[in-house]
Amino acid sequence: MKRDIPRRRDLTLDEFCAGVRACDIKVLPRALTLIESNNPAHQRQAEALLTRLLPHTGQAIRVGITGAPGAGKSTFIEAVGLHLVRQGRRVAVLAVDPSSGISGGSILGDKTRMTKLSAEPNAFIRPSPSAGTLGGVARKTRESMLICEAAGYDVVLVETVGVGQSETMVADMTDCFLALMLPGAGDDLQGIKRGLLELVDVIAVNKADGNTLFAAQVAARQYESALQSLLGRHERLPTVLTCSALHKEHVDAVWQAVEERYANSKANGELAERHRQQGVRWLWAIIEDRLRQAVRQHPKVRSMRETLEKDVLTGMLPPEVAARRILDAFGLSDHDAPES
Ligand SMILES: Nc1nc2c(ncn2[C@@H]2O[C@H](COP(=O)(O)OP(=O)(O)OP(=O)(O)O)[C@@H](O)[C@H]2O)c(=O)[nH]1
Ligand SMILES: [Mg+2]
């Protein structure tokens, strides 16, 4: 028998605003779903909502957390989140998942390692949006972060897996960046790159317990000396610590290091400057993402896309030619492009 599922009434902008500001737990997830929607009408309502809520954002400490798969990010976030809610803080956890654009999977999807935290009334956990490009996913995460701040969350943790571009994007939306490392780094320093080092404020070698305690301590010392030789004395070195997320040991010390870096950058004006620069970078990130979306959804482009992609795939057509045909169809001919 067919059953009628009552359709939820759409909320008005005022209802969204009031609900988010009151941290109404029935409204907040719907506001985030609105943000994540690709429907143009929803996007416009989301923009209006963000504009209204913007004056109520910017008070939270925004912390990016990265680490290789299995480094202990979820375990760490659970431990630090519980530590914070016990201090009366309100914690939101979001994620940028580089795989979500490709596979449709998402980190934090199971919430299994954050069962205690997700049961806390002062904690809110939102998995990574699972559709779209990495840039689009990151943009939505950033907007979700603003919504959470307007709802009164004063700590926002943004988790990402330590691969490629996603780290840069998370650093671009946060105030502080924490990298969790596995013990036994060895000489290759787990491929720690200068690019990552420039983003990182605190490095914590996790799993400093049981039979990996010694390896974690050795790794921490290796990171420290590698940092000194890589970055030199003039640059501000990341703080290096060890912890055990599983046994909740030194997790508070790691958090304290994060807070100290945050307080310093706030006091010396770096944070304000960082926020300004982030604003400009996000402006262009949004434009690039929207343009990509507009090109892909253009009716003429849609009708030719599959054939052109196939031709490039089989080597029948150079990508340059296919790109030109797509841009022509979109109405962006070469003669519109400025000389570079
Ligand atoms: N011994 C020990 N094990 C830990 C510690 N932290 C996490 N683990 C274990 O390491 C495994 C991976 O932990 P997760 O927290 O899921 O790691 P993650 O970085 O979130 O992993 P992905 O989400 O898959 O990228 C689990 O089996 C944890 O129990 C720790 O401090 N010590
Ligand atoms: Mg995880």
PDB file of all heavy atoms in Angstrom, residues 76 92 127 143 233 259 285 317 328 336:
ATOM      1  N   PHE A  76      41.133  11.462  17.833  1.00  0.00           N
ATOM      2  CA  PHE A  76      41.616  12.701  18.428  1.00  0.00           C
ATOM      3  C   PHE A  76      40.487  13.717  18.576  1.00  0.00           C
ATOM      4  O   PHE A  76      40.341  14.365  19.618  1.00  0.00           O
ATOM      5  CB  PHE A  76      42.752  13.298  17.576  1.00  0.00           C
ATOM      6  CG  PHE A  76      43.309  14.568  18.141  1.00  0.00           C
ATOM      7  CD1 PHE A  76      44.331  14.533  19.077  1.00  0.00           C
ATOM      8  CD2 PHE A  76      42.797  15.799  17.756  1.00  0.00           C
ATOM      9  CE1 PHE A  76      44.830  15.705  19.625  1.00  0.00           C
ATOM     10  CE2 PHE A  76      43.298  16.979  18.297  1.00  0.00           C
ATOM     11  CZ  PHE A  76      44.313  16.929  19.227  1.00  0.00           C
ATOM     12  N   ALA A  92      31.686  22.290  17.004  1.00  0.00           N
ATOM     13  CA  ALA A  92      31.145  21.775  15.741  1.00  0.00           C
ATOM     14  C   ALA A  92      32.266  21.086  14.975  1.00  0.00           C
ATOM     15  O   ALA A  92      33.394  21.582  14.926  1.00  0.00           O
ATOM     16  CB  ALA A  92      30.570  22.915  14.909  1.00  0.00           C
ATOM     17  N   PRO A 127      28.984  15.330   8.551  1.00  0.00           N
ATOM     18  CA  PRO A 127      29.893  14.711   7.580  1.00  0.00           C
ATOM     19  C   PRO A 127      30.127  15.620   6.391  1.00  0.00           C
ATOM     20  O   PRO A 127      29.415  16.605   6.193  1.00  0.00           O
ATOM     21  CB  PRO A 127      29.151  13.455   7.137  1.00  0.00           C
ATOM     22  CG  PRO A 127      27.962  13.334   8.007  1.00  0.00           C
ATOM     23  CD  PRO A 127      27.698  14.662   8.624  1.00  0.00           C
ATOM     24  N   GLU A 143      31.055  27.487   4.253  1.00  0.00           N
ATOM     25  CA  GLU A 143      29.783  28.152   4.536  1.00  0.00           C
ATOM     26  C   GLU A 143      29.074  27.483   5.712  1.00  0.00           C
ATOM     27  O   GLU A 143      28.475  28.161   6.552  1.00  0.00           O
ATOM     28  CB  GLU A 143      28.919  28.181   3.269  1.00  0.00           C
ATOM     29  CG  GLU A 143      29.538  29.110   2.224  1.00  0.00           C
ATOM     30  CD  GLU A 143      28.857  29.093   0.862  1.00  0.00           C
ATOM     31  OE1 GLU A 143      27.896  28.316   0.675  1.00  0.00           O
ATOM     32  OE2 GLU A 143      29.296  29.856  -0.017  1.00  0.00           O
ATOM     33  N   ARG A 233      65.904  29.499  11.043  1.00  0.00           N
ATOM     34  CA  ARG A 233      65.592  30.099  12.336  1.00  0.00           C
ATOM     35  C   ARG A 233      64.642  31.276  12.230  1.00  0.00           C
ATOM     36  O   ARG A 233      64.038  31.684  13.203  1.00  0.00           O
ATOM     37  CB  ARG A 233      66.893  30.542  13.022  1.00  0.00           C
ATOM     38  CG  ARG A 233      67.408  29.502  13.999  1.00  0.00           C
ATOM     39  CD  ARG A 233      68.694  29.957  14.602  1.00  0.00           C
ATOM     40  NE  ARG A 233      69.738  30.060  13.586  1.00  0.00           N
ATOM     41  CZ  ARG A 233      70.703  30.961  13.595  1.00  0.00           C
ATOM     42  NH1 ARG A 233      70.750  31.836  14.565  1.00  0.00           N
ATOM     43  NH2 ARG A 233      71.622  30.993  12.646  1.00  0.00           N
ATOM     44  N   GLU A 259      45.644  26.631  20.934  1.00  0.00           N
ATOM     45  CA  GLU A 259      45.052  27.865  21.487  1.00  0.00           C
ATOM     46  C   GLU A 259      46.103  28.963  21.638  1.00  0.00           C
ATOM     47  O   GLU A 259      45.812  30.141  21.437  1.00  0.00           O
ATOM     48  CB  GLU A 259      44.397  27.592  22.842  1.00  0.00           C
ATOM     49  CG  GLU A 259      43.166  26.708  22.755  1.00  0.00           C
ATOM     50  CD  GLU A 259      41.851  27.455  22.977  1.00  0.00           C
ATOM     51  OE1 GLU A 259      41.771  28.650  22.632  1.00  0.00           O
ATOM     52  OE2 GLU A 259      40.906  26.822  23.489  1.00  0.00           O
ATOM     53  N   ALA A 285      37.704  31.489  -5.440  1.00  0.00           N
ATOM     54  CA  ALA A 285      37.364  30.060  -5.399  1.00  0.00           C
ATOM     55  C   ALA A 285      35.887  29.869  -5.723  1.00  0.00           C
ATOM     56  O   ALA A 285      35.508  28.952  -6.459  1.00  0.00           O
ATOM     57  CB  ALA A 285      37.697  29.484  -4.025  1.00  0.00           C
ATOM     58  N   LEU A 317      41.061  13.709 -30.461  1.00  0.00           N
ATOM     59  CA  LEU A 317      40.986  15.168 -30.422  1.00  0.00           C
ATOM     60  C   LEU A 317      41.920  15.688 -29.324  1.00  0.00           C
ATOM     61  O   LEU A 317      41.901  15.179 -28.211  1.00  0.00           O
ATOM     62  CB  LEU A 317      39.526  15.550 -30.091  1.00  0.00           C
ATOM     63  CG  LEU A 317      39.026  16.917 -30.497  1.00  0.00           C
ATOM     64  CD1 LEU A 317      39.037  17.087 -32.003  1.00  0.00           C
ATOM     65  CD2 LEU A 317      37.603  17.109 -29.959  1.00  0.00           C
ATOM     66  N   ASP A 328      33.484  27.859 -26.738  1.00  0.00           N
ATOM     67  CA  ASP A 328      32.714  28.513 -27.803  1.00  0.00           C
ATOM     68  C   ASP A 328      31.220  28.290 -27.577  1.00  0.00           C
ATOM     69  O   ASP A 328      30.421  29.213 -27.697  1.00  0.00           O
ATOM     70  CB  ASP A 328      33.109  27.948 -29.174  1.00  0.00           C
ATOM     71  CG  ASP A 328      34.381  28.614 -29.700  1.00  0.00           C
ATOM     72  OD1 ASP A 328      34.776  29.644 -29.112  1.00  0.00           O
ATOM     73  OD2 ASP A 328      34.976  28.101 -30.662  1.00  0.00           O
ATOM     74  N   ASP A 336      37.284  37.005 -26.605  1.00  0.00           N
ATOM     75  CA  ASP A 336      36.853  37.638 -25.356  1.00  0.00           C
ATOM     76  C   ASP A 336      37.970  37.611 -24.315  1.00  0.00           C
ATOM     77  O   ASP A 336      37.942  38.358 -23.353  1.00  0.00           O
ATOM     78  CB  ASP A 336      35.650  36.902 -24.747  1.00  0.00           C
ATOM     79  CG  ASP A 336      34.435  37.014 -25.650  1.00  0.00           C
ATOM     80  OD1 ASP A 336      34.385  37.983 -26.418  1.00  0.00           O
ATOM     81  OD2 ASP A 336      33.560  36.131 -25.588  1.00  0.00           O
TER      82      ASP A 336
END
